[in-house]
């Protein structure tokens, strides 16, 4: 998904891409992937995975094209000129939501939640759902359909896991996948986290654009922030690029274990992410009674069922004015 300075988040256009990692010898999947791709409407990843991108103009949400991306084939000169004049955003952020194939309903909730949020002024924010390789034939077919419909799927070249390297695969792949249009910041978050995008952008706007590590800091001993909570944390582009280029992490087999703690370990050893920002208490876990919401929330975590999502939407007035008990 993508926000721009003059447009709110809205429904994603369909994406025609060819996710080569999902090709399997099944008739259904062959049909799904047989449609021709539209030139620049998809991005190959040179073995890292595949990114499904929209063929639509930069103001569309969900496709992930750059703010200056070309207009779909057949558009008039006036529309091309309008896109060409789109100003460069003051800040750009890639949000990677780590998820697994079976959580389709959760992803649909998140897509709706972000589509209904107000735009972050003068910012480009792209939201991608991050998978490792999808090996189950049924799940592969369904993820392929999802990728075509929404264009916000990123499939990495790794085995699906929770604490066996997925975060490293994500952070190390992003600088290569988006080398031609880098972001200012890269975020890793979970699919049970509700992120208030404009609030996060407002927090990032005055921060440096390099050597940043921001999130819910976990204190250990005398160190107030040796690592950030896995509900969501942000690193600047240079930090992600350093992770991507740092072969010592893989040589020392340092990707296996509690992944968010390991990210902090890599940065601490490498002297990276020295501009650290703790967003507690504006990032937090929703408690058992669901009564600890804050009006200045940046992210609320532990939304593991629909009841918790409904409580979150109610508190933040996402459903205000919507009447479900009668037809218009």
């Amino acid at each position: 998904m993508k926000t721009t300075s003059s447009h709110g988040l809205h429904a994603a256009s369909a994406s025609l891409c060819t996710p080569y990692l999902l090709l399997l010898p099944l008739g259904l999947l062959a049909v799904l992937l047989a449609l021709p791709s539209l030139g620049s409407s998809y991005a190959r990843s040179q073995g890292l995975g595949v990114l499904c991108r929209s063929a639509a103009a930069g103001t569309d949400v969900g496709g992930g094209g750059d703010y200056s991306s070309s207009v779909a084939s057949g558009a008039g000169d006036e529309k091309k000129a309008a896109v060409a004049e789109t100003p460069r955003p003051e800040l750009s952020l890639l949000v990677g939501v780590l998820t697994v194939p079976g959580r389709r309903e959760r992803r649909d909730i998140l897509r709706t939640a972000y589509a209904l949020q107000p735009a972050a002024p003068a910012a480009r924010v792209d939201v991608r759902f991050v998978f490792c390789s999808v090996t189950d034939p049924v799940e592969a077919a369904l993820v392929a359909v999802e990728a075509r419909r929404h264009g916000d799927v990123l499939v990495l070249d790794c085995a699906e896991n929770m604490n066996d390297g997925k975060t490293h695969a994500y952070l190390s792949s992003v600088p290569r996948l988006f080398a031609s249009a880098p972001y200012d910041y890269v975020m890793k978050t979970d699919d049970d986290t509700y992120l208030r995008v404009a609030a996060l952008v407002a927090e990032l706007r005055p921060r440096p654009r390099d050597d940043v590590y921001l999130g819910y800091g976990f204190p250990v001993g005398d160190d107030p922030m040796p690592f950030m909570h896995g509900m969501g944390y942000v690193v600047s582009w240079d930090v992600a690029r350093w992770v991507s280029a740092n072969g010592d992490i893989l040589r020392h087999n340092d990707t296996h274990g509690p992944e968010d703690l390991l990210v902090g370990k890599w940065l601490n050893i490498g002297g990276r992410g020295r501009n650290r920002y703790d967003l507690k208490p504006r990032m937090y876990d929703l408690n058992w009674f669901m009564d600890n919401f804050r009006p200045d929330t940046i992210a609320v975590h532990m939304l593991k069922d629909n009841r918790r999502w409904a409580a979150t939407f109610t508190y933040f007035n996402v459903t205000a004015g919507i009447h479900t008990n009668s037809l218009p």
Side-chain angles (χ1 to χ4, degrees), residues 154-169:
L154 176 60
V155 182
L156 305 175
D157 187 13
C158 56
E160 191 58 68
N161 66 87
M162 181 175 179
N163 284 310
D164 200 19
K166 185 171 182 177
T167 298
H168 179 266

Side-chain angles (χ1 to χ4, degrees), residues 85-193:
E85 294 171 2
T86 302
R88 184 181 181 88
E90 296 174 5
L91 181 152
S92 59
L93 168 67
L94 173 67
V95 179
V97 182
L98 272 59
T99 185
V100 295
R103 294 181 186 159
R104 279 174 291 279
E105 182 183 23
R106 182 83 54 82
R107 290 189 292 279
D108 284 342
I109 289 173
L110 279 165
R111 288 183 178 107
T112 302
Y114 291 136
L116 292 174
Q117 287 192 21
R124 166 194 173 196
V125 181
D126 294 342
V127 179
R128 302 284 167 76
F129 293 96
V130 181
F131 301 81
C132 282
S133 299
V134 185
T135 56
D136 178 85
V138 174
E139 295 291 6
L142 294 175
V143 170
V145 171
E146 194 174 334
R148 284 183 179 279
R149 173 62 185 90
H150 298 287
D152 58 3
V153 168
L154 176 60
V155 182
L156 305 175
D157 187 13
C158 56
E160 191 58 68
N161 66 87
M162 181 175 179
N163 284 310
D164 200 19
K166 185 171 182 177
T167 298
H168 179 266
Y170 167 62
L171 290 176
S172 62
S173 296
V174 160
R176 288 171 278 179
L177 287 169
F178 298 95
S180 63
Y183 293 83
D184 294 316
Y185 301 103
V186 178
M187 183 174 197
K188 173 265 174 185
T189 188
D190 293 337
D191 62 9
D192 62 342
T193 296

Side-chain angles (χ1 to χ4, degrees), residues 215-219 224-225 277-283:
Y216 178 114
F218 257 112
M225 285 183 288
Y277 303 97
D278 188 356
L279 298 189
K280 292 195 304 289
R282 298 179 67 194
M283 297 178 73

Side-chain angles (χ1 to χ4, degrees), residues 16-137:
L16 297 178
C17 60
T18 308
Y20 63 92
L21 290 178
L22 304 179
L23 288 172
L24 290 168
L26 294 174
L28 173 61
L29 190 52
V31 171
L32 293 172
L33 301 180
L35 295 176
S37 55
L38 295 179
S40 62
S41 66
Y42 68 95
R44 296 288 187 180
S45 64
Q46 299 177 348
L48 302 172
V50 65
L51 167 68
C52 300
R53 292 170 38 151
S54 172
T59 54
D60 284 332
V61 176
D66 358 345
Y67 49 87
S68 59
S69 61
S70 60
V71 181
S73 175
D77 292 339
E78 292 183 3
K79 192 171 183 181
K80 290 180 181 179
V83 172
E85 294 171 2
T86 302
R88 184 181 181 88
E90 296 174 5
L91 181 152
S92 59
L93 168 67
L94 173 67
V95 179
V97 182
L98 272 59
T99 185
V100 295
R103 294 181 186 159
R104 279 174 291 279
E105 182 183 23
R106 182 83 54 82
R107 290 189 292 279
D108 284 342
I109 289 173
L110 279 165
R111 288 183 178 107
T112 302
Y114 291 136
L116 292 174
Q117 287 192 21
R124 166 194 173 196
V125 181
D126 294 342
V127 179
R128 302 284 167 76
F129 293 96
V130 181
F131 301 81
C132 282
S133 299
V134 185
T135 56
D136 178 85

Side-chain angles (χ1 to χ4, degrees), residues 105-307:
E105 182 183 23
R106 182 83 54 82
R107 290 189 292 279
D108 284 342
I109 289 173
L110 279 165
R111 288 183 178 107
T112 302
Y114 291 136
L116 292 174
Q117 287 192 21
R124 166 194 173 196
V125 181
D126 294 342
V127 179
R128 302 284 167 76
F129 293 96
V130 181
F131 301 81
C132 282
S133 299
V134 185
T135 56
D136 178 85
V138 174
E139 295 291 6
L142 294 175
V143 170
V145 171
E146 194 174 334
R148 284 183 179 279
R149 173 62 185 90
H150 298 287
D152 58 3
V153 168
L154 176 60
V155 182
L156 305 175
D157 187 13
C158 56
E160 191 58 68
N161 66 87
M162 181 175 179
N163 284 310
D164 200 19
K166 185 171 182 177
T167 298
H168 179 266
Y170 167 62
L171 290 176
S172 62
S173 296
V174 160
R176 288 171 278 179
L177 287 169
F178 298 95
S180 63
Y183 293 83
D184 294 316
Y185 301 103
V186 178
M187 183 174 197
K188 173 265 174 185
T189 188
D190 293 337
D191 62 9
D192 62 342
T193 296
Y194 178 63
L195 178 67
R196 298 181 74 207
V197 175
L200 176 60
V201 167
E203 185 68 37
L204 288 171
R205 199 178 298 279
R207 306 301 183 193
R209 297 295 187 262
D210 54 22
D211 215 20
V212 168
Y213 185 30
L214 172 149
Y216 178 114
F218 257 112
V220 176
D222 295 331
D223 191 338
M225 285 183 288
F227 72 97
M228 302 294 176
H229 190 298
M231 71 173 73
Y233 47 84
V234 176
V235 297
S236 51
W237 185 258
D238 63 300
V239 172
R241 194 169 52 203
W242 175 82
V243 171
S244 180
N246 188 348
D248 285 342
I249 295 173
L250 291 176
R251 277 194 293 272
H252 297 157
N253 198 30
D254 213 7
T255 61
H256 307 283
E259 295 198 344
D260 306 306
L261 187 152
L262 287 175
V263 171
K265 177 183 175 182
W266 307 333
L267 302 188
N268 294 335
I269 292 174
R272 304 289 170 154
R274 287 169 293 186
N275 296 316
R276 301 196 177 189
Y277 303 97
D278 188 356
L279 298 189
K280 292 195 304 289
R282 298 179 67 194
M283 297 178 73
Y284 54 92
D285 287 332
L286 187 62
N287 67 21
W288 178 260
F289 301 102
M290 300 185 294
D291 61 358
N292 63 323
F293 289 109
R294 298 174 53 94
D296 63 348
T297 295
I298 290 176
V300 55
H301 180 235
M302 296 294 288
L303 308 183
K304 295 188 179 295
D305 57 46
N306 288 352
R307 181 168 161 267

